[in-house]
Amino acid sequence: MPPPSDNAFGRAVRHVRRIARPWTSRLSGRPSEGHQKGGNFLRELVFGANDGLVSNVALVAAVAGGTSNPNVILLGGIAGLVAGAISMALGAYVSTKSEHEFCASEEARERWEVENMREQELAETRHIFRLKGITGPLLDEVVAAVSRDHEQWIKLMMTEELGFADQSPKPKLSATVMGLAFSVGALFPVVPYFLAEGDAAFITSLSLTAAALFGVGALRASMTTGSMWRKGLEMVVLGGAAVAIANLIGRAVGVNV
């Protein structure tokens, strides 16, 4: 049986391989382990679709509480869809562009430090891997391998030292995803009023929206953790509360007007 030190060394090597896989796979030409990347825009998808569903069904419920005219309700729903989609897309673009610019400025500063303050950056890199449990000669080898490629070294410092995501934000793509997700979500409460009116349209609108909200919650669960039923029902309950409040306000305003 091998001595305990050999086992410990083997575990350390496997640990380093997992940490250094982005660099070793790049140098060797072998692809790294594939993981689901759909979560990159999960926030935009979920937030956009959820906001489109909840805000527009609440708007439709409020207008329906104040009037039974289907044309007025339909106009309100379409206006909410267009205005909301534009607002959400612009908001996502501006916020993501600001994040992108900040990330770019920090990357430029980190690149300057790697080129002009090499010893200090090497010390910081050693500290990063030491916190991961790597010490001794193995630490020297890992730091030497990482610092050999400046671009990969900068990426390491951006993620491990500064806490940025692996991929730089994409403002245009983020705005597109947010705007489209909002638009699709906002359509569900409105579509029934193209085909029906009165209580039938209102009930169908609520039913379609509830089903879509449950789907958004299930999507969250499938791409993260948790029960699909629990997260789906959570979305439906929150949307139902918004509808009830908006409808009561619409009825109160409609009566007073």
Side-chain angles (χ1 to χ4, degrees):
M1 186 176 67
S5 59
D6 289 347
N7 292 335
F9 180 78
R11 287 195 298 271
V13 169
R14 289 193 294 273
H15 185 59
V16 172
R17 284 175 178 172
R18 286 195 298 271
I19 297 171
R21 184 174 287 116
W23 295 275
T24 57
S25 62
R26 184 175 182 271
L27 294 174
S28 65
R30 296 192 303 271
S32 59
E33 286 185 351
H35 293 278
Q36 185 173 341
K37 296 184 179 179
N40 291 343
F41 291 100
L42 177 61
R43 184 182 67 86
E44 283 84 357
L45 283 171
V46 172
F47 183 51
N50 177 71
D51 200 54
L53 286 162
V54 175
S55 65
N56 225 31
V57 76
L59 176 61
V60 168
V63 178
T67 179
S68 59
N69 189 326
N71 294 327
V72 174
I73 299 172
L74 185 59
L75 177 62
I78 294 174
L81 186 157
V82 174
I86 293 173
S87 176
M88 294 290 285
L90 288 177
Y93 179 81
V94 171
S95 62
T96 310
K97 188 170 186 289
S98 299
E99 183 182 353
H100 178 80
E101 291 170 348
F102 177 63
C103 179
S105 67
E106 289 297 296
E107 183 176 347
R109 182 182 65 81
E110 196 64 44
R111 178 171 281 103
W112 184 91
E113 291 178 353
V114 164
E115 294 173 353
N116 297 276
M117 302 171 60
R118 181 178 176 84
E119 293 305 318
Q120 181 176 332
E121 290 299 298
L122 284 172
E124 292 176 355
T125 305
R126 292 179 65 84
H127 180 67
I128 288 171
F129 283 104
R130 190 179 292 113
L131 290 177
K132 296 179 182 293
I134 304 170
T135 58
L138 195 56
L139 177 60
D140 296 331
E141 294 177 14
V142 172
V143 173
V146 170
S147 60
R148 195 172 295 127
D149 186 328
H150 277 198
E151 291 303 314
Q152 294 300 320
W153 189 10
I154 291 167
K155 288 182 180 179
L156 170 74
M157 302 306 285
M158 290 290 290
T159 56
E160 296 291 338
E161 180 189 15
L162 302 179
F164 286 99
D166 291 336
Q167 296 181 348
S168 178
K170 298 177 175 60
K172 292 181 180 178
L173 185 57
S174 179
T176 301
V177 171
M178 185 73 80
L180 288 176
F182 183 95
S183 299
V184 172
L187 270 176
F188 283 86
V190 176
V191 166
Y193 284 92
F194 284 103
L195 307 173
E197 58 184 52
D199 291 341
F202 186 62
I203 293 173
T204 305
S205 175
L206 297 184
S207 300
L208 284 176
T209 304
L213 283 170
F214 185 88
V216 171
L219 175 64
R220 284 174 53 204
S222 68
M223 300 186 74
T224 56
T225 56
S227 166
M228 296 177 67
W229 282 99
R230 184 177 64 81
K231 288 189 180 293
L233 290 175
E234 177 185 52
M235 299 287 279
V236 173
V237 170
L238 292 174
V243 167
I245 294 171
N247 188 254
L248 288 174
I249 293 174
R251 290 177 182 274
V253 173
V255 170
N256 291 328
V257 171

